[in-house]
Amino acid sequence: MDDAGHGLPPGPHGVVSYDELSARLRALRTWAGVAYREVHRRVVRDRKARGVLELPVYNTVYRCLRPGRTRLDAELVADIAGALLGDPVAAASWRQACRAIEGVATDAAIVAVSGTLPAESAGFTGRTRELTTLLAALARPPAVVAITGMAGVGKTRLAVHLAHRVMAAGGRRDLCLSVNLRGHDADHVPADPGAVLEGFLRLLGLPGGRIARLDTGGRAEELRRRLAGRRTLLLLDDAASPDQIRTLLPDTPGSVTVVTSRRVLDGLPGVVLDPFGPHESAALLRHEIGTRRAEAEPRAVAGIAEAVGHLPLALSVVSARIRADTEWTLADHLDRLTRRRADLRLDDPVARAIGLSYATLDADQRRLLRLAALHPGGGFDASAAGALTGAPPGLTGSRLVGLVAAGLLRRRAGDRFEFHDLVRVFAAERARDEESARAKNEALGRLFDHYRRSPRRRTPATGGLGGPPGCP
């Protein structure tokens, strides 16, 4: 028997050939530390337990894990993965990967659903007002809520905490279904709703042959039928769009659904998360780095929170660095963050998170975001943004609304828009790398001409009357 591996088990995402899939299965066997004979015994045992009449011989199972295959049995691949993972439901993505290679499915169909909730992070902090709002909304039909907001603002963490609260409320839920819809995933395309429904239905005991005969609408109807009369909680994390979740909402009495997304999901009640307030940021830092260390340098704690714009993801990233660099004072860490922002640099995890939202934009929206970061003030309207890009205000306004929907801008009173500090840093860096010096100078020239011509000129830095800095 091989030594068991460590860390997360190998998965099938990204495979494009049977040889690659077999290689991943072999890696999974190594990770599990299970001999070939034991793999065969487990597959036979699991099939007998499910009442499957076809029992593979040892050589059939063994050859499935060897290179040189021109065809693989998708059900056997899933059964082998399930035997190695100890969880047949978690093996569904292996079946879907095999079908993708066969050409009857796509990468979007490789989805892993779960019958349990993700583990809750220790030391959940803040969000008292939002939790009150969400719990009140879930108490009213149709008991569906959406948690939306920019990258790194803590949507998933709040959703998982809320889901655990609901599940623990008097033990009233007898079923939980959860899935990561991969709306913003650097490595995988968003999950196909039909594949998600297939995963849910398999978890609920519907045979694969019957599911294959149903289209997406039929699967949604079958899910509603099977959830009828059951008190179910659904957690749909990281939705790409309203279209992706439309068929996944069961709309059955007793069901509770929690959705997260970076995009605004019109028609669903819920909350739009803002970054933490100062007290929540300080509480998170105290939990992450230790109360004694935080209380020894309270001004540095406040400065660090301000330097990362009170964004929970950025706070967690800097907390991990603080824990690792025990020789540094908190003032040292604050100095590092201040210098990085001055240099238009973000910590890598934060830059990647914002970059995934940026990648979903069309070319015009990306250009608008880059050029808007050149605006010298704290806020701007559609006319000023249009001056920067040279586009008409009406067209610019619709693009700005799209940026708000993507969680990359915030809309304020009076049809004014503003950046979160870290998104501005990201966008300014993209402008530095992707816009020529001539293009940036021309954009600023158009902006300053716009403010000169405006009958009520607003100073970009203050929002008061006057001209932009440096203009007569």
Side-chain angles (χ1 to χ4, degrees):
M1 180 179 293
D2 298 325
D3 291 333
H6 298 283
L8 296 174
H13 291 286
V15 299
V16 297
S17 69
Y18 290 124
D19 273 354
E20 286 186 14
L21 188 60
S22 293
R24 295 284 182 89
L25 271 181
R26 293 195 299 278
L28 182 62
R29 186 190 71 85
T30 301
W31 173 88
V34 177
Y36 285 101
R37 291 283 181 188
E38 177 61 18
V39 176
H40 173 247
R41 283 192 290 268
R42 291 185 184 184
V43 169
V44 171
R45 181 193 64 203
D46 292 347
R47 285 196 170 189
K48 285 181 177 178
R50 301 197 322 264
V52 178
L53 297 179
E54 185 180 353
L55 302 178
V57 299
Y58 168 75
N59 281 342
T60 300
V61 172
Y62 177 77
R63 287 197 301 270
C64 198
L65 285 94
R66 306 310 301 167
R69 305 294 297 168
T70 58
R71 183 181 178 280
L72 284 172
D73 182 337
E75 293 303 320
L76 182 56
V77 167
D79 286 348
I80 292 172
L84 294 169
L85 292 165
D87 182 357
V89 175
S93 60
W94 291 83
R95 177 190 301 106
Q96 293 156 349
C98 189
R99 288 165 53 187
I101 296 169
E102 292 170 1
V104 297
T106 65
D107 285 345
I110 304 175
V111 183
V113 305
S114 176
T116 60
L117 289 177
E120 185 172 8
S121 302
F124 181 83
T125 300
R127 304 304 191 194
T128 302
R129 177 179 57 82
E130 291 87 350
L131 277 169
T132 299
T133 299
L134 292 166
L135 288 168
L138 288 177
R140 301 186 297 269
V144 179
V145 293
I147 301 172
T148 58
M150 66 177 289
V153 80
K155 300 178 294 295
T156 297
R157 190 168 185 172
L158 175 59
V160 171
H161 180 76
L162 172 65
H164 279 278
R165 284 272 298 265
V166 171
M167 290 294 287
R172 295 183 298 149
R173 301 287 144 192
D174 55 25
L175 177 64
C176 171
L177 301 172
S178 65
V179 64
N180 179 359
L181 295 174
R182 305 193 308 255
H184 300 83
D185 190 302
D187 301 314
H188 309 122
V189 297
D192 175 67
V196 175
L197 289 165
E198 176 184 351
F200 285 161
L201 291 171
R202 283 182 178 274
L203 193 148
L204 293 170
L206 190 65
R210 287 183 56 188
I211 297 173
R213 293 193 291 270
L214 298 173
D215 61 12
T216 298
R219 294 176 184 183
E221 181 59 34
E222 182 65 25
L223 180 65
R224 285 191 289 270
R225 190 182 70 79
R226 287 180 172 260
L227 295 184
R230 307 179 72 171
R231 300 186 66 82
T232 308
L233 185 145
L234 272 74
L235 175 59
L236 308 176
D237 190 28
D238 193 19
S241 66
D243 288 341
Q244 189 186 31
I245 63 170
R246 187 165 289 114
T247 57
L248 304 180
L249 303 178
D251 192 25
T252 55
S255 292
V256 165
T257 305
V258 180
V259 186
T260 74
S261 180
R262 295 187 187 183
R263 304 196 68 86
V264 175
L265 301 175
D266 292 330
L268 293 185
V271 296
V272 179
L273 286 192
D274 286 321
F276 276 157
H279 293 299
E280 292 175 313
S281 295
L284 178 59
L285 285 169
R286 282 196 301 271
H287 176 267
E288 294 284 344
I289 68 176
T291 300
R292 180 178 300 179
R293 194 170 182 186
E295 290 183 350
E297 298 182 73
R299 288 190 177 183
V301 167
I304 288 170
E306 184 68 26
V308 300
H310 301 279
L311 189 68
L313 172 61
L315 288 166
S316 295
V317 170
V318 74
S319 294
R321 189 179 181 101
I322 290 171
R323 292 194 302 271
D325 296 330
T326 55
E327 300 277 326
W328 286 33
T329 67
L330 298 188
D332 291 333
H333 287 285
L334 175 57
D335 179 67
R336 182 188 73 86
L337 289 170
T338 302
R339 284 186 284 105
R340 287 182 71 85
R341 281 192 56 177
D343 294 339
L344 299 182
R345 290 188 297 153
L346 300 173
D347 284 328
D348 289 345
V350 177
R352 282 196 300 270
I354 298 173
L356 291 173
S357 292
Y358 180 74
T360 67
L361 305 175
D362 63 36
D364 290 328
Q365 289 174 321
R366 289 197 296 270
R367 181 169 182 266
L368 173 56
L369 191 76
R370 293 193 300 268
L371 294 181
L374 304 178
H375 193 285
F380 51 88
D381 59 17
S383 296
L388 282 163
T389 61
L395 184 58
T396 302
S398 65
R399 291 171 182 166
L400 288 169
V401 170
L403 293 176
V404 172
L408 290 168
L409 282 180
R410 296 185 289 204
R411 190 169 193 163
R412 293 299 182 239
D415 283 336
R416 293 183 67 78
F417 301 84
E418 67 181 20
F419 283 95
H420 181 275
D421 289 347
L422 299 190
V423 178
R424 179 187 282 276
V425 170
F426 175 89
E429 184 179 18
R430 296 278 71 74
R432 182 177 62 185
D433 290 344
E434 300 176 33
E435 298 288 341
S436 68
R438 177 181 177 181
K440 289 183 285 189
N441 287 334
E442 290 177 348
L444 286 172
R446 289 191 299 268
L447 176 68
F448 294 160
D449 286 344
H450 162 73
Y451 279 116
R452 288 191 187 98
R453 293 193 303 269
S454 176
R456 294 184 74 251
R457 294 175 295 165
R458 292 182 176 272
T459 302
T462 65
L465 294 179
C471 293

